[in-house]
Amino acid sequence: MTGERAPAAGEYGPDSPFTLPGFFDALGEGRLLGGECGDCGAVLLPPRFACYACGSRDVTAVEQPHTGTVYTYTQVRRPVPALEPEAPFTVAVVELDSGARLSGRLTVEYEEAEIGMPVELSVREPTEHEREAALACEADWPVHAFEPR
Amino acid sequence: MSDPVIAAVGSSPIGRTELTGRDLFSAAMAEAFEGLPEPAELVDAVYVGNQSEAYEHQIMYGTLLAEWAGLRGVPAERVEGCAAAGALALRHAVRDVRSGEHEAVLAAGVERMTAAGTGGATEALSAATDRALEQRSGLTAPAGYALLAQRYLHEFDATERDLARIAVKNHRNAARNPRAQFQREIDVDTVLESAYVAPPLKLYDSAPVSDGSAAVLVTTPERARQLPGDAVRVTGTGAAANNLAVADREATRMRGAERAAGTAMEEAGIDPSDVDIAEVHDAFTVCEPLIAEAVGFAPRGRGVESALPPGERSEGWTDVHMSTSGGLKARGHPIGATGLLQAIEAYEQLTGRAGDRQVDAETALLMNEGGVSDAVIVGHVLEAGA
């Protein structure tokens, strides 16, 4: 469970998982990194400068489990214009086995989803429409989703 | 030190319009300053609540509206906190007057949401969700609220029909509010038969896309006594930010709202049971129970009874009247102006100007939030008798 510590002053850069480019680089390699607080144990997604639960700066980037369960979900029927060709689609908040939560697409129809459903994280290239919705700096960042298991 | 007061209020018509943001502001100012001296003779500073430049391709709304009101030269700035921008503007005005920094401050809010069409509004509002993991997963603002509603209905003894009753209650109140966007009553079936926006939330669970502006003059009691018209006291203000991403918060508990309301009520020296009327942020029906529970009006899981008249609710509920204006659902929700429209409703109720919807009220609580529920939330306590 040892991981990378938050960068010191002057060392923040796009290779660090404590920045979004670094976080998404790791995700593209199949590693979902969370920031684990050394003081209170909260897991922060993505890793960051300080813990929102207790304020501590003792945060370490630790690889997260890919399995969890659906905490809540809905169906996006009217997305932003660029994603309209993909609608409707299901989104969920998933609680990972580490206790950390994150939102993401759920790869089942809305009617098949339910709270408590076991799911597993997957990572893919952005679709054509997602690239259209992205800023230039985000266009190559991978997109995660959850599949039933 | 005496409490700041609200000495004058005004709003534009609320709904779809051909007017631009600055025109809507002019309409609000014309009402607020009717019979008063020139704004330039009174106002020392301006705060403008405004959600997004995506609608009109216009930032610098502080400068623009100060200029438009004849206030060139005063400090003026736009305040942003998505739908909480209006109450944040009010809070800045209250704090400036309370501290003695300024004697009179204009808190205004404006949004011309229909300028960019439905797709434009969806795009602009989705910017209030977290870019890194939420927006990139296709989450929209209505879907964010639906995640909360789904969990609320799962955890508690509540149904879509219960949520529908809240929309019906707010339309009933709006039917008696000349400022409201929808001055007509609806029934539960209308809500239940409307299309899903993001299940379990439907079209009639949702506040509309609205154009509108509101203006509120905050000043000292001494200055207010020199002006025509009644004033109401602002006896408490509180604000809190929570996580931006919905996933990182407790879906059915608004810790930010607990804190903001707690601070405002502590400053005012009141308890939740002292509040006669509350204007709360029902961007979607599920917000009303969540806020009622967070501020201490209702036991956890029973806030969904907010549509019932005081006295018919579960034990542990206070006798508060919720959103006599019709709420965001039916009064309308021009994002940056909404927090100030809440203040206008309280002003009218506390000064006996609320016409057919008048209730017996001495104390009001306003709760205005931004960024899918609890991301930033502002509470104000207003009391009659300046």
Side-chain angles (χ1 to χ4, degrees), chain A residues 7 41 49 69-70 82 101 117 126 145:
Chain A
F49 170 75
T69 55
V70 171
R101 286 194 205 135
M117 182 179 198

Side-chain angles (χ1 to χ4, degrees), chain B:
Chain B
M1 191 178 56
S2 50
D3 293 311
V5 302
I6 292 175
V9 304
S11 74
S12 71
I14 302 163
R16 186 173 292 273
T17 177
E18 292 179 12
L19 301 183
T20 69
R22 73 186 76 184
D23 303 326
L24 295 163
F25 169 73
S26 297
M29 288 293 282
E31 184 196 351
F33 281 79
E34 192 176 16
L36 265 61
E38 309 298 357
E41 292 174 33
L42 285 173
V43 176
D44 304 316
V46 178
Y47 294 102
V48 179
N50 177 245
Q51 179 225 334
S52 180
E53 60 273 23
Y55 302 116
E56 295 187 284
H57 202 262
Q58 182 70 70
I59 60 172
M60 302 299 291
Y61 248 115
T63 295
L64 178 65
L65 298 193
E67 175 196 329
W68 231 242
L71 294 165
R72 191 175 63 182
V74 305
E77 64 188 75
R78 169 190 172 191
V79 181
E80 192 274 310
C82 195
L88 287 169
L90 177 62
R91 173 175 162 81
H92 291 320
V94 166
R95 287 162 59 85
D96 280 0
V97 172
R98 188 194 269 177
S99 72
E101 174 81 13
H102 295 303
E103 202 169 352
V105 180
L106 181 67
V110 63
E111 215 74 58
R112 173 62 199 300
M113 295 181 75
T114 65
T118 305
T122 302
E123 185 101 50
L125 290 165
S126 75
T129 66
D130 178 54
R131 182 74 180 173
L133 295 175
E134 292 185 334
Q135 289 183 44
R136 299 189 76 251
S137 297
L139 195 73
T140 59
Y145 284 96
L147 292 171
L148 307 182
Q150 187 87 272
R151 188 73 200 182
Y152 190 93
L153 299 184
H154 172 77
E155 284 185 26
F156 303 118
D157 179 23
T159 63
E160 292 181 34
R161 181 171 288 272
D162 292 325
L163 294 179
R165 288 196 185 98
I166 295 169
V168 170
K169 181 265 291 177
N170 283 339
H171 269 265
R172 188 166 62 239
N173 289 347
R176 293 159 180 77
N177 183 1
R179 293 186 200 272
Q181 180 168 350
F182 299 126
Q183 295 174 38
R184 59 184 169 83
E185 301 203 20
I186 58 169
D187 58 24
V188 167
D189 288 341
T190 303
V191 183
L192 291 176
E193 289 165 12
S194 64
Y196 282 109
V197 173
L201 297 176
K202 305 169 202 71
L203 181 65
Y204 274 84
D205 287 297
S206 317
V209 169
S210 311
D211 303 328
S213 179
V216 167
L217 180 66
V218 179
T219 187
T220 61
E222 295 74 26
R223 180 70 76 89
R225 275 192 282 276
Q226 299 163 1
L227 302 173
D230 297 329
V232 301
R233 294 177 291 145
V234 184
T235 54
T237 176
N242 199 337
N243 291 78
L244 184 56
V246 169
D248 293 331
R249 296 186 237 133
E250 293 161 272
T252 60
R253 187 163 174 185
M254 294 176 67
R255 299 272 184 183
E258 291 173 12
R259 199 155 172 169
T263 303
M265 287 192 282
E266 189 181 335
E267 283 190 1
I270 64 165
D271 293 321
S273 59
D274 297 321
V275 176
D276 302 309
I277 57 168
E279 285 294 308
V280 303
H281 195 100
D282 60 314
F284 295 85
T285 46
V286 70
C287 303
E288 205 168 291
L290 287 172
I291 294 174
E293 293 168 27
V295 306
F297 292 156
R300 191 161 154 74
R302 296 322 305 156
V304 76
E305 296 168 10
S306 67
L308 298 176
E312 293 180 26
R313 302 163 180 158
S314 292
E315 192 180 339
W317 253 97
T318 73
D319 289 336
V320 66
H321 295 272
M322 300 280 284
S323 292
T324 51
S325 68
L328 280 58
K329 170 70 196 83
R331 187 265 328 286
H333 183 28
I335 308 287
T338 287
L340 294 160
L341 291 170
Q342 293 181 332
I344 291 175
E345 175 65 12
Y347 176 88
E348 294 190 324
Q349 288 284 354
L350 297 175
T351 59
R353 287 171 165 80
D356 292 344
R357 65 187 194 290
Q358 183 70 48
V359 298
D360 187 14
E362 292 288 317
T363 303
L365 178 69
L366 316 178
M367 295 299 293
N368 182 208
E369 51 95 326
V372 183
S373 189
D374 210 31
V376 63
I377 187 151
V378 186
H380 281 99
V381 176
L382 273 55
E383 297 187 59

Side-chain angles (χ1 to χ4, degrees), chain A residues 51-73:
Chain A
C51 173
Y52 59 69
C54 75
S56 171
R57 287 181 290 172
D58 179 12
V59 180
T60 304
V62 175
E63 195 163 342
Q64 294 299 300
H66 287 196
T67 50
T69 55
V70 171
Y71 173 75
T72 184
Y73 66 99

